[in-house]
Amino acid sequence: MFSEKMTSLGSNRSVIREIAEYGWKRATEIGRENVFDFSIGNPNVPAPEIVKETIIELLNSTDSMTLHGYSSAPGMLCVRKTIAESINRRFGTNLTLNNIYMTSGAASSLTISIKALTEDDDEFVTFAPYFPEYTTFVESAGAKLKVLPPDTVNFQIDLDILEKSLTPQTKGIIINSPNNPSGVVYSEETIKSFCVLVAKKEKEFGHPIFIISDEPYRELVYGNVKVPYLMNYHKNVIVCYSYSKSLSLPGERIGYIATSPEAEQSQTLFAAICGAGRALGYVCAPTLFQQVVEKCVEATADISIYERNREILYNGLLEMGYEGPKPDGAFYLFVKSLEEDANAFCEKAKKYELLLVPGDGFGCPGYVRIAYCVTTKQIEKSLPAFAKLAKEYKK
């Protein structure tokens, strides 16, 4: 009677969401301050003040139709123009408003982009560790996702494995940098070599291979780390962006798709994006928040809070004997489990009210993800719990 595939998806919920809901339940039992919930990437840093000021100004000065009415399907022209100009100014590209499609966050950006590209027998490639919903997005479009094994030494792209994995059926490659769950940023050296390889394979196969760059964490980087903008290194690029993290607006579901003007058949590509948005029902992203991001297009939340959390947590865990890459971006630590079975380790951590996410779902067994987008006070208070957990394994 019902779609077996959709029923299965609805019945087998995300491990991250399951742990988060356990945390919410536990908080009602013992108090939120006593639960160290590192499960979900829900920004705790407030949105920048300009966001609140803009919302108030729009509510007080804009007519209801403009505030809450439908925009055009791809989004308001003035908003798309502002975003294109911002990208051009920051990254030296040549986008117009006809390269920008407004979306309800990065998830819809990804599903639209994958749907727009997919034909019969297509494959997409991504690299572990990876955001597990990629599998759902790709398979729901009728394609197959090939997940390449992780490089647990540097957490960069293993080009040898990639070259052997690309086939004439490869339609696209999904990359995510800064990465969820590792927090690692792919270096410019990695990106250059990666794009040279993709261009070589495009020539060999006689068709474009689109790089889909999933970028909700682009602004969340520390120090002088550079996040290469893919359109400067490869012509067949689609950028999927969300303001959930940069402006701390995850619940407002606002983002965009940017298509490279240099892509093969770029106008047809954008038409396919518009068609996929229509087919999926992802048209007219939230109108009020389209206008908010127009006014706040280059604002960011206070990233220094995440950087302080990273330093306290990473250095504290390192001293206790935990291991993992130091993140250059995002707000996640990805550390080795203290036993081979990360799921068992995460269950044991619950004894100390530590809620961690096993790496198996990210394609990287033996690791756990720790989302440090919580208060600094919670980070500091959690360290004795991590120490007790480590001590239990030392016995």
Side-chain angles (χ1 to χ4, degrees):
M1 181 182 292
F2 307 110
S3 163
E4 289 186 16
K5 183 180 288 186
M6 294 303 109
T7 302
S8 176
L9 278 175
S11 302
N12 299 294
R13 303 185 62 200
S14 157
V15 172
I16 299 169
R17 298 284 173 180
E18 292 280 3
I19 297 171
E21 290 190 10
Y22 170 85
W24 298 331
K25 178 177 178 290
R26 194 74 179 123
T28 65
E29 296 169 347
I30 64 172
R32 182 170 298 278
E33 70 280 3
N34 298 311
V35 180
F36 308 119
D37 187 353
F38 297 105
S39 64
I40 195 166
N42 202 14
N44 73 298
V45 174
E49 193 66 20
I50 189 175
V51 169
K52 182 171 75 173
E53 293 169 356
T54 300
I55 293 171
I56 292 171
E57 180 185 344
L58 287 168
L59 291 173
N60 287 335
S61 64
T62 309
D63 65 89
S64 180
M65 183 65 74
T66 305
L67 270 180
H68 306 299
Y70 293 122
S71 72
S72 66
M76 300 175 74
L77 297 179
C78 56
V79 178
R80 292 158 59 201
K81 182 174 184 289
T82 296
I83 290 171
E85 289 173 348
S86 171
I87 294 171
N88 292 340
R89 183 167 54 251
R90 289 182 292 149
F91 304 117
T93 49
N94 193 32
L95 280 71
T96 71
L97 64 88
N98 291 320
N99 297 110
I100 304 295
Y101 187 100
M102 301 303 297
T103 66
S104 297
S108 63
S109 296
L110 288 161
T111 51
I112 290 169
S113 299
I114 293 164
K115 181 76 170 176
L117 295 176
T118 298
E119 299 175 287
D120 291 343
D121 301 320
D122 278 346
E123 293 179 347
F124 289 81
V125 173
T126 197
F127 314 99
Y130 72 108
F131 184 53
E133 291 299 284
Y134 291 168
T135 302
T136 301
F137 299 160
V138 169
E139 291 182 354
S140 294
K144 295 178 182 178
L145 182 67
K146 186 181 290 184
V147 179
L148 305 191
D151 165 17
T152 53
V153 176
N154 300 307
F155 285 87
Q156 297 287 312
I157 296 172
D158 190 318
L159 296 173
D160 291 334
I161 292 176
L162 175 62
E163 182 164 18
K164 294 170 185 174
S165 302
L166 298 178
T167 73
Q169 283 70 50
T170 304
K171 178 58 68 71
I173 304 170
I174 306 171
I175 74 167
N176 173 220
S177 174
N179 179 259
N180 173 14
S182 72
V184 167
V185 174
Y186 293 146
S187 69
E188 185 172 31
E189 180 184 359
T190 291
I191 292 299
K192 283 180 176 179
S193 300
F194 165 63
C195 289
V196 167
L197 173 59
V198 175
K200 171 187 160 186
K201 287 296 181 178
E202 287 181 325
K203 188 173 181 180
E204 179 183 333
F205 300 147
H207 65 75
I209 297 174
F210 286 88
I211 299 173
I212 301 176
S213 186
D214 179 22
E215 300 191 356
Y217 302 97
R218 166 167 285 279
E219 278 71 37
L220 273 66
V221 290
Y222 313 118
N224 296 315
V225 173
K226 175 183 178 180
V227 182
Y229 198 69
L230 266 292
M231 289 186 195
N232 292 324
Y233 302 87
H234 186 71
K235 65 180 184 178
N236 294 311
V237 170
I238 300 172
V239 172
C240 296
Y241 187 81
S242 167
Y243 292 94
S244 294
K245 275 57 179 190
S246 60
L247 291 179
S248 291
L249 297 175
E252 275 66 41
R253 311 310 299 145
I254 188 71
Y256 64 78
I257 298 167
T259 62
S260 172
E262 308 302 323
E264 291 189 34
Q265 302 181 51
S266 61
Q267 292 181 333
T268 305
L269 170 61
F270 192 74
I273 294 288
C274 294
R278 179 183 177 187
L280 293 167
Y282 287 140
V283 295
C284 179
T287 309
L288 170 59
F289 278 90
Q290 287 192 53
Q291 295 169 81
V292 170
V293 299
E294 179 189 12
K295 304 295 184 185
C296 307
V297 67
E298 293 182 14
T300 59
D302 186 356
I303 309 304
S304 69
I305 297 173
Y306 296 134
E307 185 170 16
R308 183 164 68 249
N309 286 356
R310 176 193 69 156
E311 291 301 307
I312 293 169
L313 187 58
Y314 181 78
N315 291 333
L317 294 185
L318 213 62
E319 289 177 6
M320 297 173 199
Y322 293 92
E323 298 177 30
K326 186 171 186 178
D328 289 318
F331 40 50
Y332 305 108
L333 287 182
F334 203 52
V335 301
K336 278 187 178 180
S337 167
L338 296 182
E339 62 177 286
E340 189 173 336
D341 186 343
N343 290 276
F345 175 75
C346 290
E347 280 300 311
K348 194 168 289 186
K350 285 181 180 178
K351 290 196 307 183
Y352 304 99
E353 306 300 343
L354 291 166
L355 304 186
L356 317 175
V357 180
D360 302 57
F362 300 103
C364 199
Y367 280 77
V368 298
R369 191 188 78 169
I370 305 171
Y372 56 83
C373 48
V374 299
T375 66
T376 303
K377 184 178 179 181
Q378 278 288 89
I379 298 279
E380 293 169 337
K381 194 175 176 183
S382 74
L383 291 177
F386 277 110
K388 288 175 184 175
L389 179 60
K391 187 176 180 181
E392 185 170 337
Y393 282 92
K394 288 176 183 175
K395 291 178 183 177

